[in-house]
Structures are given as C-alpha cells and as structure tokens.
Amino acid sequence: MTQPGTPTGSTTPPTTSPAPAETDHPISEPTAPLWFGDRSGQRYPGATAPTPPSWAGSGPAAPPTTPPSSQSSGARRVWPAVLTASLLSAALASGGTYATVRAADGNATSPSTASSAASPAGSSAGAQQIRQVNPNAPDWTATAATVTPSVVAISLQVQGGSAQGSGVVIDSSGHILTNNHVVDGAVEGTIEVTLADGRKYPATVAGTDPSTDLAVITVKNPPSDMKAIAMGDSDALKVGDPVMAVGNPLGLASTVTTGIVSALNRPVTTGDSQAQYGQQQTEPVYTNAIQTSAAINPGNSGGALVDANGKLIGINSSIASTGSNSGNIGIGFAIPVVEAQAIATQLIASGKAQHAYLGVTLRDGEATDGSSTRAGAQVGEVSPNTPAQAAGLRAGDVVIAVDGTPVESRDSLIAKIRAEQVGSTVKLTVIRGGARQDVSVTLAVRPATAG
C-alpha cells in the first residue's frame, strides 16, 4: 500500500477484456497517471488522462513568478518530506496580454505594429501612428482583483499529517465549494479557512459527494463582508476562450495563472481502490471536464476557474502528469460549474446528492457508420425497470453521442450521464445494425443498490 505522500511512478495498463460494468462503475484500469492538485504533493494514482489534441493551444506568456526564498519550504507544514524545493520550483503557467510600448501621446501600441512612416495629413508632426492590436484583450489585473477575495485556502489535519487545498465562496452564508478529495478524511474540528486578506475561520463539512469529487464546507460565524463569487455558464464556453485559475498551490495563497480552454467535454477518470487518508476510496470519479492550459499545481484543487469577466466556470480538480513530472505540464481539468452548482445545492440542503441513472452495463466498442467506423460506448446488458429499458435501448447498441455531443468510449458516456440532473431527458444517438437512430431517455435517480 502506498504511504501517504509517496508518489507512484506508474499505473496499471488498461483492461482489454470486454467485462461489463454499470454506468456508475469502472471496468478498466487507467492508462496514464493523473493526480489531484491538492495537499502539496499527495498524488492520487490511477487516473485516465486522454491524449491531448495536437491543435490544443497554450495561454499567452508573461514574466514567470518566482516564490520568495522565505517560502521555499512551503507556507505551512504538510505531509512530511513531501514539499521539496524541486516541487516548489515547478514551472508555473503565466499569462497576460500582448506586449506594448508607449507612444508620445501615452497610448499603448504593439512594437510589431507601430508605424514609423510619416504621419497622415492632419495629425501632429512627428507623432507615432497607433494601431490597437486587440482592444478586447482580457484585463487580467481587474479579473484577479475581482476574484481573489472569493477564493480561500483550506487547511486541515488528516491521518498521518496535515493537508491543504482551495475553495470558492458561493454565498453570503459562509458556504464554500471545494473538491471532496480536499476534505476527505479530515480529523474532526481541524478544518480551517483562510480568506484572501489573511483572516482565519474554523469550518465544518456540510456535505460531500465522492462520485463527482465535490464537497461543501461551512465557515463558522462567517464575516459580513465575505464575498461570494459571480456564477458563469460553463455550457457557453468555447475552445480557445481565455480563463484564469485562482487558488492555493503549494501553500502560495491567492495565486493566479492564465491560459485558455483547451478542450471541452473531456472524459477524465480519477481514483483507485487504495486506502487513502485512512479511508477506502471504492468509487472512481468520472468528470465531463473542461481542459485548460492554465497552470494547476498541488493545492489548486477546489479553487476557481473563471472567465475573463471573473465569473466562475469550473472547479479545478486534477491535472495530467508524466511518470517523471508530478507538476503542471499544461493539461489541467476542471468540473464544469453547471454540474458543480447542482451538486452544491443538494449538499447544502441535505448533505447528500442524487445522481442520474441509465441502467446499463457498458464497454468500449465500435460500430460501422456508413463507410467509416465509429468508436463509442457499447451496451452490454440492459437492466429491467430502468430508464434504458423504458427507452428501448438494446444490448449491442453503440452510443456515439449524447444530445449531439460525441461519445467515444464507455468513460465518456458515464461522465456525460453523471453530469445530467435527475429527471432530465437526453437524446442518445446509437448505431444499431449498421444504422443510426436517436433514442430519448428520461434519467431516473440512481438506486442505492446500483453498486
């Protein structure tokens, strides 16, 4: 069993046999390491990180940030012998707008576009001609000033040491949205929230949802000036949109990094069956994630991913990593805010969350689609008295899309179903007998006996 804080260098190859599994449970092992970005170095082995597309861009560059030497050993005590100088020196993604120079009239201009030609008729003699390169470039300074008061640092005690992560203030009652793995295994009475201005408050767990890796904690006697973040719309995102990640990486509170939305609807699977922090994680997490190039490092988990207007669009949760690099490599993942809001509302109300349920076993599969072959999620068995049976799904059907969004694997379909709300109706595009057809399914509450 892996000791707390000890990185693992490899994962188990994927299972190739077509063993069936409930939509809510895995049947294959991960294919590439992926780790959660919290607790200053504690890695969760066993996650599936998809190969990024060759066209995925990266965020704009700005001067790198170097932590002060006084913080080279971490802002607070974490897992013993985990927070090392090499980890602190991991490259941080930076961002900004285009470089500018100042003209004689005080306006900004790009060095590559400033004209040295004679001034047009009617202009002041000798004045430099100005051309604005991108008048809509994000004002990251304003965005950071707006968002950082709503993002907190979370510290706690767990079995064997201390831990830390990030959280987002979502209302004036002191509710903070974070990742389940940030507070999982917390010793009772040890959770502490630090606001951006340094004030500290004790907090308790309002509710957790391991299957989506979300949790809500409540600040005791929250201050009246506690600022809730503005909510955005993750469904409106487009690939290439600029984003900012805000959190507490490596104990460095209120750290901001910028990048872009690298991909949407990226199926990401995290978690394994090893005992972690004194608890047994028996259920993996499936996320229909936002992929971003904004730097996410240990401690960022539970923090905010916001758009250029400072509106919350996702909760940072995990990153892809190589066996030799446990830090940021420009591939991070966030839980879309539409899903996170729905879960948080339930956790605040009852401490628990309900999940949508299809009622089939699944495996990765392929089907002939005209003159081509399409990958998808192949139905193994359809359970009786389930939404799938009521909709007419059949064993052997290969699901290739949900509401028009492509499905390329079993994990992809599971992630998309989990992102839906109970009672919603979705359109599954399936290939049956070599022909496409659409099947409408009204999703029900996942039974407690569904594994």
Side-chain angles (χ1 to χ4, degrees):
M1 181 173 66
T2 304
Q3 294 294 321
T6 303
T8 56
S10 62
T11 56
T12 306
T15 301
T16 57
S17 59
E22 279 288 332
T23 48
D24 300 297
H25 295 280
I27 59 172
S28 64
E29 292 297 323
T31 57
L34 187 102
W35 57 279
F36 289 110
D38 77 321
R39 295 180 168 173
S40 291
Q42 175 64 17
R43 292 197 297 155
Y44 285 63
T48 301
T51 302
S54 60
W55 44 260
S58 58
T65 300
T66 304
S69 58
S70 61
Q71 294 177 323
S72 60
S73 60
R76 57 176 64 86
R77 181 178 178 273
V78 292
W79 294 110
V82 169
L83 188 57
T84 63
S86 63
L87 188 57
L88 265 181
S89 65
L92 298 177
S94 58
T97 57
Y98 54 89
T100 62
V101 295
R102 290 286 169 181
D105 61 0
N107 291 329
T109 182
S110 167
S112 61
T113 59
S115 172
S116 59
S119 301
S123 62
S124 300
Q128 188 176 34
Q129 184 177 354
I130 304 300
R131 188 178 78 175
Q132 186 73 33
V133 176
N134 185 0
N136 298 317
D139 183 349
W140 290 128
T141 300
T143 302
T146 298
V147 174
T148 50
S150 301
V151 180
V152 304
I154 299 173
S155 61
L156 60 146
Q157 296 294 316
V158 295
Q159 184 178 5
S162 60
Q164 59 188 16
S166 305
V168 182
V169 180
I170 57 175
D171 61 29
S172 59
S173 300
H175 291 120
I176 293 173
L177 181 59
T178 185
N179 284 138
N180 175 69
H181 74 263
V182 170
V183 298
D184 182 36
V187 175
E188 186 175 357
T190 66
I191 300 177
E192 185 176 66
V193 168
T194 303
L195 304 185
D197 61 9
R199 288 177 292 172
K200 297 182 179 182
Y201 297 87
T204 58
V205 176
T208 62
D209 186 42
S211 66
T212 58
D213 191 28
L214 291 167
V216 172
I217 62 175
T218 307
V219 173
K220 295 181 179 179
N221 300 316
S224 59
D225 61 348
M226 200 167 183
K227 182 182 177 182
I229 200 166
M231 294 293 175
D233 182 6
S234 51
D235 287 345
L237 290 175
K238 295 180 175 61
V239 173
D241 281 347
V243 292
M244 171 182 282
V246 187
N248 179 41
L250 310 179
L252 304 174
S254 299
T255 294
V256 302
T257 56
T258 61
I260 63 169
V261 173
S262 303
L264 294 168
N265 302 304
R266 184 71 81 191
V268 176
T269 307
T270 52
D272 65 6
S273 59
Q274 297 188 37
Q276 296 169 355
Y277 308 111
Q279 296 190 3
Q280 189 77 13
Q281 183 176 340
T282 58
E283 186 174 22
V285 177
Y286 293 90
T287 304
N288 197 32
I290 302 166
Q291 182 181 324
T292 178
S293 62
I296 298 174
N297 280 293
N300 267 122
S301 276
L305 187 69
V306 300
D307 61 20
N309 295 318
K311 293 184 178 181
L312 185 69
I313 56 171
I315 298 296
N316 299 318
S317 59
S318 56
I319 71 170
S321 66
T322 64
S324 59
N325 186 345
S326 60
N328 167 67
I329 58 173
I331 303 176
F333 303 100
I335 302 167
V337 71
V338 169
E339 178 181 358
Q341 274 188 283
I343 296 298
T345 299
Q346 296 181 68
L347 295 181
I348 292 171
S350 64
K352 300 179 181 179
Q354 295 181 331
H355 297 285
Y357 175 67
L358 190 57
V360 296
T361 60
L362 294 170
R363 59 173 61 88
D364 291 342
E366 292 185 343
T368 300
D369 183 22
S371 60
S372 65
T373 300
R374 289 287 303 269
Q378 185 173 26
V379 176
E381 297 179 0
V382 178
S383 300
N385 303 316
T386 61
Q389 184 189 50
L393 281 178
R394 301 178 188 175
D397 286 349
V398 177
V399 182
I400 62 169
V402 175
D403 289 334
T405 302
V407 167
E408 298 178 348
S409 66
R410 176 197 63 125
D411 288 358
S412 178
L413 179 56
I414 295 173
K416 285 177 173 58
I417 294 300
R418 286 207 182 172
E420 297 290 336
Q421 296 188 38
V422 173
S424 63
T425 298
V426 297
K427 181 180 70 175
L428 304 183
T429 301
V430 305
I431 297 179
R432 178 185 299 168
R436 285 194 188 202
Q437 65 180 81
D438 292 332
V439 178
S440 292
V441 183
T442 300
L443 303 173
V445 178
R446 173 188 170 192
T449 56

